[in-house]
Amino acid sequence: MICGRRTRSGTEQPLPPADGTGGPRRPGRAFKKMGLTDDEDIKLMLKGSLLWKIKSPRRAKERLYRLQEDGMTIWFERRFRHARSKQIFSVMHIEGVREGYQSEGLRKYGASFPERHCFTIVFKGKRKNLDLAARGEEDARHWVQGLNKLIARVDTMSQREKLDHWIHDMLRRADKNKDNKMCFREIKNVLRMINVDMNDIYAYKLFKECDRSGDERLEEREVEEFCRRLLRRPELEEIFGRYSGEDCVLSAEELREFLRDQGEEASPRQARAIIHAYELNEKAKQQDLMMLDGFMMYLLSADGDILNQEHTKVHQDMSQPLCHYFISSSHNTYLTDNQIGGTSSTEAYIRAFMKGCRCVELDCWEGSNGEPIIYHGHTLTSKILFRDVIESIRDYAFKQSPYPVILSLENHCGLEQQATMARHMKAILGDMLLTQPLEGQDPKDLPSPEQLKGKVLVKGKKLPDLQHEPRSSGSLSDNEDEEEEEEEEEEEGLQERGSRQSLHSLQEIKPLQAKEASQVAPELSSVVVYCQAVPFPGLAQALRDPRPCEMSSFSERKARKLIREAGKAFVRYNAQQLSRVYPLGLKMNSSNYNPQEMWNAGCQLVALNFQTPGYEMDLNAGRFLGNGRCGYVLKPGFLRSSRGSFGPEAPPGPGQAQHRLVLAIRVITAQQLPKLNAEKRSSIVDPLVRVEIHGVPADCSKKQTQHKLNNGFNPRWEETLTFQLRVPELALVRFVVEDYDSASCNDFVGQFTLPLASVRQGYRHIHLLSKDGASLAPATLFVHVRCERP
């Protein structure tokens, strides 16, 4: 017995499903290439295990989980055959695996299972965690270790290997009678699955050419031949032929010529190194020659990615003051859904940190039993303990990035619970929490991200002079602080909708014994050092008497007004002090604003609802894609000067004229585009590609290709889209693939956004992402990029 639940004997094996679906089979050829078939952990996963899925105190279900023979998907069903529910998920969609009670779900509901039996699968995007418990510690260890090995292997797979796995998975799914042979009807099913509407006559001709045995069935080798023909890349063959000539082989010198045309200087030694890294034919490699397959491997590798691979590491100067950086920032971080009735969760903080977020928000209210809570005040959102959030911050703040984290406190607690907040932060965070100015540094100046590595900073109100303040409470004379401003805007939003929606019940919900937010406990004030929250004094006074360690918050509406009425002065203000911008409180569905207009003015902490996907979050991900995704991006020089004349809304003057660029993007082809409606077997994508430029108003532009009918497998365009850029340093480039029939619904097949500064010229591939930022591998775009001075 485990936890009062009846189990089978330890020697009894899980039963395979009645129809054989998902049953144990020999690993496929694609899986064998991964080199993990003899691994003990993988062997157990292929065999399958009965695992408890934990969702609530009374909702733990035992199901059979098994790694499929492709090595890339996990199949599971309910234990009882009469109530079987078969589902799968891909290893590619797993972000990580946590052992023990390291998820909110297991901490709440996993107590009836031994901790060493428990583990959590964390998915990319918005999919909820999967909390599992094995029958024994050994089973749990095998699954955790095995999943981590598969995740690591997937991360190192080439695009060709991902394609190989993808097409073999489609073939497996189309092989209905599981005889490892494919009739023409099954081949047609494959074509529909991979999103291509191929003419029956041409498809049958291709089928017959591969049917060497002539028995109207394609066996393993014949199926592989069919796949190879499907995976042909004529556009890459054309490029290869252009440089290789009639002998269809690239010499090291011809490869150097190609690289020079790409905008990359390469020595003969570097060209030979590329050949030895990617060429598949040993004889060609020995003679420093590259054949077509090796050339394709190179173009589809990280070296052919549109993202400059140097920018996947921290490469910028990290020794400048904090105010000289854009800082990835989250609003209402605790929410997993909307701000009226959504769920609050510590997992939301973990996901934000794993996306590189460096500033998170904590809305703190009075809780029962003397424990502060976090939730969206006066609403139906659920509540979580302040202490639990701080523990999550301790455990995950520096997993993705070593640079400082800012805790933006919106404080609605009384003095006693404020003191409790301070005690929790000091006890849980320990040395991580910055409580004193750095030694050897002027306490009035902002330090750099480099100096603050591994540190947690608190943004909150600071008492004027603690040295002369009595032990009793302190207060701030100005009642119009940022928290009250934010709360007022939210209440405005509720009132504006009061005539249309019944929100009286929401307004009646009051936090337990909430005190005036103008009172500040000395204990909480003492942990505020460099991010002292103050009311905005106005641009004139702030520029006349700059105080770098003080910062103000602005609603998106107030920030826009400052940009519109005094843009140049606002840029100079942001060159010396930190500013935080947050969404209007009346956005009840937690929608976002366009962050680009705030970055144009040099605002550092442009806070967005990370739980709400959309183009705004795509832009945020693109802005912080470079510099190693560390959450800090150095602002352009003209946004760091306190004496500059840059206007965020006005076209650049003569001083910026030399920075202008002409960007030409030739959209060539796409591969393996997913369907928008996967449930509808007959649906085929009619794709078009839209390229968007987001920057200063004069640069913002959108252009798109024609759509291609019924082809999501390998559509080809050969269309060039050209853009004139005046301030390229601020520009983001967003690639969007849409289905022509769904374009008016703001729905898209996939997208990818990156800073223009990180774009590499030449022939490049682009890995597409889903709406929530998860990989759509092997879906790609192939383009040619050219940047020139006018």
Side-chain angles (χ1 to χ4, degrees):
M1 294 281 285
I2 295 180
C3 318
R5 296 181 172 88
R6 184 177 299 170
T7 64
R8 302 173 184 177
S9 65
T11 57
E12 189 175 348
Q13 302 300 320
L15 293 173
D19 61 0
T21 303
R25 307 188 188 97
R26 292 179 300 168
R29 291 174 62 86
F31 186 19
K32 289 177 182 177
K33 293 177 183 178
M34 295 174 73
L36 294 172
T37 52
D38 294 327
D39 184 273
E40 291 303 317
D41 299 319
I42 303 301
K43 283 181 179 179
L44 178 132
M45 294 174 68
L46 286 166
K47 187 177 179 181
S49 300
L50 287 165
L51 304 172
W52 293 95
K53 180 180 178 182
I54 303 167
K55 294 184 70 175
S56 71
R58 298 181 181 179
R59 290 186 64 193
K61 299 179 180 180
E62 192 174 38
R63 293 179 174 179
L64 179 61
Y65 287 78
R66 179 182 288 127
L67 176 66
Q68 295 196 266
E69 71 277 5
D70 65 353
M72 295 289 286
T73 47
I74 309 295
W75 175 96
F76 63 93
E77 70 160 1
R78 293 183 183 176
R79 173 180 171 182
F80 303 105
R81 297 184 186 180
H82 66 272
R84 191 163 62 247
S85 172
K86 299 182 286 291
Q87 299 184 50
I88 64 171
F89 57 85
S90 172
V91 174
M92 285 188 177
H93 296 153
I94 299 175
E95 185 173 273
V97 186
R98 304 181 201 156
E99 295 182 78
Y101 301 152
Q102 289 198 64
S103 74
E104 191 170 60
L106 284 175
R107 282 195 293 269
K108 283 183 179 178
Y109 311 126
S112 58
F113 295 90
E115 182 171 5
R116 292 187 176 181
H117 293 197
C118 298
F119 61 97
T120 300
I121 297 176
V122 182
F123 293 99
K124 298 173 182 176
K126 291 193 72 175
R127 181 170 178 171
K128 292 181 179 179
N129 294 347
L130 180 59
D131 293 320
L132 299 170
R135 289 184 166 188
E137 182 180 337
E138 187 176 353
D139 258 11
R141 186 173 63 251
H142 280 306
W143 274 90
V144 171
Q145 292 176 171
L147 285 169
N148 281 326
K149 290 171 186 174
L150 291 171
I151 294 167
R153 182 64 183 89
V154 166
D155 288 343
T156 60
M157 284 172 67
S158 68
Q159 184 69 5
R160 175 59 66 87
E161 287 176 308
K162 290 176 183 176
L163 286 172
D164 202 20
H165 272 279
W166 182 77
I167 198 72
H168 277 81
D169 177 55
M170 295 298 170
L171 292 170
R172 176 191 57 76
R173 288 163 56 189
D175 185 11
K176 296 297 184 184
N177 59 5
K178 310 304 173 189
D179 63 353
N180 292 321
K181 295 182 180 180
M182 306 289 289
C183 65
F184 182 65
R185 179 175 54 81
E186 289 173 321
I187 287 292
K188 284 290 291 180
N189 284 338
V190 170
L191 295 174
R192 279 194 292 270
M193 285 179 184
I194 63 178
N195 213 358
V196 59
D197 186 15
M198 187 179 287
N199 178 277
D200 277 2
I201 297 174
Y202 177 75
Y204 187 68
K205 178 177 179 290
L206 187 62
F207 177 87
K208 292 297 290 181
E209 288 174 357
C210 298
D211 183 17
R212 306 294 184 190
S213 59
D215 64 353
E216 296 292 321
R217 296 283 191 278
L218 299 187
E219 299 185 14
E220 188 172 19
R221 295 290 182 183
E222 295 167 337
V223 169
E224 287 196 356
E225 172 65 19
F226 185 83
C227 291
R228 276 197 295 273
R229 295 196 180 206
L230 282 179
L231 293 172
R232 278 193 60 210
R233 298 287 297 269
E235 75 282 5
L236 302 187
E237 293 174 18
E238 290 173 16
I239 299 167
F240 180 77
R242 199 176 305 152
Y243 289 90
S244 64
E246 295 180 359
D247 58 358
C248 294
V249 175
L250 273 179
S251 66
E253 187 54 42
E254 287 169 331
L255 179 59
R256 284 187 69 200
E257 181 186 353
F258 169 77
L259 293 171
R260 281 195 295 269
D261 290 350
Q262 291 275 93
E264 300 177 18
E265 288 300 323
S267 65
R269 181 179 177 181
Q270 290 169 316
R272 288 193 296 270
I274 291 173
I275 291 172
H276 283 258
Y278 295 103
E279 178 52 47
L280 306 176
N281 186 296
E282 286 299 325
K283 289 185 178 179
K285 190 185 294 186
Q286 291 169 10
Q287 300 176 53
D288 292 333
L289 298 175
M290 179 175 268
M291 302 178 74
L292 175 61
D293 282 346
F295 183 70
M296 290 175 66
M297 289 285 286
Y298 167 71
L299 284 185
L300 297 177
S301 72
D303 286 328
D305 199 304
I306 193 169
L307 175 65
N308 187 333
Q309 294 302 290
E310 288 299 312
H311 292 193
T312 62
K313 300 172 286 190
V314 175
H315 66 281
Q316 294 182 336
D317 178 8
M318 302 302 287
S319 63
Q320 299 198 32
L322 286 178
C323 57
H324 286 182
Y325 297 84
F326 295 128
I327 304 172
S328 181
S329 304
S330 166
H331 177 67
N332 289 348
T333 312
Y334 47 89
L335 289 177
T336 60
D337 203 341
N338 69 72
Q339 63 186 29
I340 296 301
T343 302
S344 303
S345 170
T346 57
E347 289 292 330
Y349 286 90
I350 297 171
R351 288 182 179 250
F353 286 134
M354 298 313 290
K355 290 179 181 178
C357 182
R358 298 288 84 193
C359 178
V360 295
E361 185 177 28
L362 292 79
D363 285 6
C364 308
W365 297 82
E366 294 252 310
S368 58
N369 301 320
E371 287 294 334
I373 57 173
I374 290 177
Y375 85 114
H376 201 235
H378 309 300
T379 70
L380 296 175
T381 57
S382 60
K383 303 172 178 66
I384 51 179
L385 289 175
F386 177 86
R387 179 183 60 219
D388 289 347
V389 171
I390 299 301
E391 287 178 351
S392 296
I393 290 168
R394 174 198 61 198
D395 295 339
Y396 290 93
F398 301 106
K399 294 274 189 185
Q400 177 69 22
S401 168
Y403 293 102
V405 165
I406 300 171
L407 307 186
S408 180
L409 299 186
E410 186 177 313
N411 175 30
H412 302 275
C413 291
L415 299 173
E416 186 177 336
Q417 292 201 15
Q418 287 184 40
T420 302
M421 289 163 56
R423 284 197 302 272
H424 283 329
M425 286 191 284
K426 289 179 179 178
I428 295 169
L429 297 175
D431 291 341
M432 289 183 184
L433 184 67
L434 188 76
T435 58
Q436 297 291 332
L438 298 181
E439 287 186 22
Q441 165 114 6
D442 188 333
K444 295 181 180 180
D445 292 335
L446 283 173
S448 69
E450 190 66 31
Q451 292 173 296
L452 293 170
K453 267 187 175 180
K455 291 296 183 182
V456 175
L457 283 64
V458 175
K459 180 187 84 69
K461 287 176 284 190
K462 181 86 170 171
L463 293 174
D465 187 1
L466 280 178
Q467 292 180 345
H468 300 94
E469 194 72 30
R471 189 66 184 160
S472 60
S473 68
S475 64
L476 300 177
S477 57
D478 194 330
N479 211 27
E480 295 181 1
D481 55 70
E482 63 180 281
E483 285 87 355
E484 288 179 345
E485 287 178 7
E486 188 162 347
E487 189 180 29
E488 282 168 12
E489 296 216 358
E490 288 167 358
E491 289 176 353
E492 263 180 44
L494 297 179
Q495 290 166 7
E496 285 181 19
R497 288 163 171 75
S499 59
R500 291 171 290 174
Q501 301 180 34
S502 177
L503 293 174
H504 298 298
S505 58
L506 301 185
Q507 293 167 351
E508 288 170 4
I509 299 173
K510 298 295 180 183
L512 182 64
Q513 297 177 346
K515 304 295 192 301
E516 286 296 324
S518 60
Q519 294 184 311
V520 183
E523 295 90 341
L524 189 58
S525 174
S526 69
V527 299
V528 177
V529 183
Y530 290 116
C531 299
Q532 301 170 21
V534 298
F536 181 54
L539 284 173
Q541 182 178 330
L543 291 174
R544 186 167 56 249
D545 180 22
R547 298 183 181 184
C549 295
E550 293 182 354
M551 60 179 294
S552 301
S553 289
F554 307 89
S555 71
E556 56 176 289
R557 181 166 56 198
K558 291 183 179 178
R560 283 197 197 97
K561 184 178 180 182
L562 283 169
I563 292 169
R564 184 173 61 250
E565 297 178 357
K568 293 182 179 180
F570 197 33
V571 168
R572 292 196 296 274
Y573 168 82
N574 286 321
Q576 301 174 82
Q577 294 183 228
L578 290 168
S579 64
R580 176 178 173 269
V581 182
Y582 58 87
L584 282 173
L586 50 84
K587 292 186 171 180
M588 301 171 70
N589 61 350
S590 294
S591 60
N592 283 309
Y593 54 92
N594 184 347
Q596 183 65 49
E597 55 187 328
M598 311 305 171
W599 292 324
N600 291 343
C603 299
Q604 301 88 355
L605 300 152
V606 180
L608 298 177
N609 290 294
F610 271 45
Q611 78 276 19
T612 307
Y615 86 93
E616 301 93 346
M617 277 305 298
D618 294 344
L619 297 185
N620 194 75
R623 174 64 63 200
F624 295 101
L625 182 66
N627 207 29
R629 301 189 185 191
C630 74
Y632 284 81
V633 172
L634 188 65
K635 297 194 290 187
F638 53 81
L639 292 182
R640 306 197 304 264
S641 172
S642 59
R643 298 181 179 178
S645 60
F646 178 77
E649 291 203 316
Q656 282 87 37
Q658 69 272 23
H659 298 295
R660 297 187 181 190
L661 277 180
V662 176
L663 173 66
I665 297 174
R666 178 156 58 98
V667 180
I668 301 173
T669 187
Q671 291 77 39
Q672 288 75 51
L673 301 176
K675 299 181 181 184
L676 278 176
N677 185 2
E679 301 299 319
K680 188 177 179 182
R681 293 183 57 185
S682 61
S683 71
I684 304 292
V685 169
D686 299 335
L688 62 87
V689 178
R690 185 174 70 249
V691 179
E692 305 172 355
I693 303 298
H694 297 265
V696 297
D699 287 347
C700 292
S701 180
K702 300 179 183 180
K703 295 183 180 180
Q704 67 186 42
T705 66
Q706 299 293 315
H707 69 277
K708 297 296 177 182
L709 283 173
N710 294 331
N711 190 354
F713 183 69
N714 57 0
R716 189 165 183 177
W717 288 275
E718 294 289 353
E719 295 183 44
T720 300
L721 310 176
T722 304
F723 304 88
Q724 303 277 343
L725 301 180
R726 303 186 183 197
V727 189
E729 297 91 339
L730 283 170
L732 294 172
V733 186
R734 183 171 183 248
F735 296 87
V736 184
V737 180
E738 282 187 344
D739 183 355
Y740 178 72
D741 290 335
S742 303
S744 60
C745 305
N746 294 319
D747 209 354
F748 60 79
V749 176
Q751 66 83 30
F752 187 73
T753 309
L754 75 167
L756 179 62
S758 298
V759 171
R760 297 165 73 196
Q761 295 193 62
Y763 291 101
R764 302 296 175 192
H765 69 266
I766 300 165
H767 295 283
L768 295 175
L769 304 176
S770 67
K771 290 180 183 178
D772 55 11
S775 171
L776 289 175
T780 55
L781 273 178
F782 193 67
V783 300
H784 183 269
V785 181
R786 188 178 71 252
C787 294
E788 296 178 348
R789 299 290 179 193

